[in-house]
Amino acid sequence: MSEFISLYSGSSGNSSVVRCGERYLIVDMGKGVRTTGATLKELELNISDCDGILVTHEHSDHVKGLSTFLKKYPLPVYGAEETLEILDANGVVPATCDLTALTPGREEDIGVFGVKAFPTSHDVPCVGYRIHTPDEKTMTIATDLGVLTPAVHEALSGCDLVALESNYDLHMLRSGPYPYYLRARIESVRGHLSNDECAAKLLELIQEGCKKFALCHLSQENNTPMLALQTVFSTLGAAGVVPDKDCVVQTQRRNEVSPALAF
């Protein structure tokens, strides 16, 4: 059985695990070694069973904890070539760390997993990951994207589970405390995905056969888990889709481990 688990999520840090049996991958690490290590221990995940760390991009809420974690646990790190070069040049990863650039669009073996990176539309080089597990399941994680490009559409199609960004509620963002330039960046095609955009894509994926979803990277200032779920359920309900009967939708918890979502 394969599982997707959010270790923590939100503006202050993001990290998740894709597990099959005892083997697992970590996706991003936005908090320190104490937080991440304690969470892995809570889940009874041994560091020796981790096949590697996948990095989506260079922003601190995704890589802040890498440096200290890798000094203690020298796991291999994978990501886009541009991202790894930036992390290396800025000392985010130890010089002795094994860095491997993934070629977008090509599935490559990482331990027992098959991993395919694909580009997302963000204001720095950024990728999502389509992951094929040893038990012949497929999931895709895509966060930090302002628009659903053809590459993202292709990566999300035909999955057993999709973890997709549902970053902000448009009304909260426009009426909130953020200055105009920041609001414009978030709404742009190189920013983040709104609840409405996420909900529309989930409906499309459900109609194609996907039944399990995790809503990721919810903004602490411009969203709430309840609002994200309400938006999705409203969109699905209008199309006659019944949550918990026709699909499972879970929000990632900001500062605590989310329940494992089997797929």
Side-chain angles (χ1 to χ4, degrees):
M1 182 180 67
S2 294
E3 294 178 324
F4 174 79
I5 308 169
S6 169
L7 304 185
Y8 45 81
S9 178
S11 307
S12 61
N14 298 273
S15 185
S16 56
V17 159
V18 178
R19 173 169 65 180
C20 184
E22 293 184 350
R23 309 304 301 178
Y24 67 98
L25 296 169
I26 298 172
V27 183
D28 289 332
M29 191 172 297
K31 293 187 178 182
V33 64
R34 289 185 180 179
T35 298
T36 306
T39 304
L40 294 174
K41 185 176 181 180
E42 178 185 341
L43 293 169
E44 299 183 346
L45 293 174
N46 297 318
I47 300 297
S48 59
D49 292 329
C50 181
D51 286 329
I53 301 173
L54 309 179
V55 177
T56 59
H57 64 299
E58 68 195 69
H59 284 160
S60 63
D61 59 322
H62 294 261
V63 302
K64 186 178 180 181
L66 269 181
S67 179
T68 52
F69 188 90
L70 291 171
K71 289 175 182 176
K72 188 172 183 179
Y73 307 112
L75 295 172
V77 176
Y78 301 84
E81 184 175 5
E82 302 97 321
T83 300
L84 297 183
E85 288 176 350
I86 291 169
L87 297 183
D88 187 35
N90 289 280
V92 177
V93 294
T96 56
C97 184
D98 182 12
L99 302 178
T100 302
L102 300 178
T103 302
R106 185 174 75 189
E107 183 172 310
E108 303 186 40
D109 291 335
I110 299 178
V112 300
F113 299 90
V115 179
K116 183 188 295 185
F118 58 92
T120 63
S121 180
H122 202 44
D123 55 4
V124 298
C126 186
V127 296
Y129 292 103
R130 183 179 171 103
I131 301 172
H132 187 214
T133 64
D135 59 350
E136 300 299 322
K137 300 293 185 179
T138 303
M139 68 85 58
T140 290
I141 180 167
T143 66
D144 297 78
L145 65 165
V147 64
L148 292 158
T149 62
V152 175
H153 282 285
E154 181 181 351
L156 298 178
S157 298
C159 287
D160 298 287
L161 181 145
V162 165
L164 185 62
E165 175 172 75
S166 190
N167 182 256
Y168 67 93
D169 172 75
L170 186 59
H171 175 73
M172 284 187 70
L173 176 65
R174 292 183 175 178
S175 61
Y178 280 11
Y180 173 77
Y181 80 88
L182 186 53
R183 297 199 305 269
R185 170 193 170 266
I186 292 170
E187 285 189 49
S188 77
V189 296
R190 289 168 57 83
H192 290 278
L193 212 62
S194 71
N195 290 344
D196 292 314
E197 293 166 321
C198 176
K201 184 58 181 174
L202 261 58
L203 176 59
E204 179 184 330
L205 292 171
I206 289 169
Q207 293 169 338
E208 293 177 356
C210 186
K211 302 299 182 185
K212 294 187 177 182
F213 305 92
L215 307 184
C216 301
H217 210 310
L218 276 65
S219 168
Q220 188 167 340
E221 294 78 14
N222 304 303
N223 208 356
T224 67
M226 182 177 293
L227 189 53
L229 281 174
Q230 286 177 342
T231 303
V232 168
F233 290 165
S234 177
T235 298
L236 300 185
V241 177
V242 181
D244 296 332
K245 176 177 178 290
D246 299 323
C247 63
V248 175
V249 184
Q250 177 179 289
T251 56
Q252 285 187 295
R253 299 181 181 181
R254 291 196 180 109
N255 296 309
E256 57 183 285
V257 181
S258 294
L261 190 53
F263 63 96

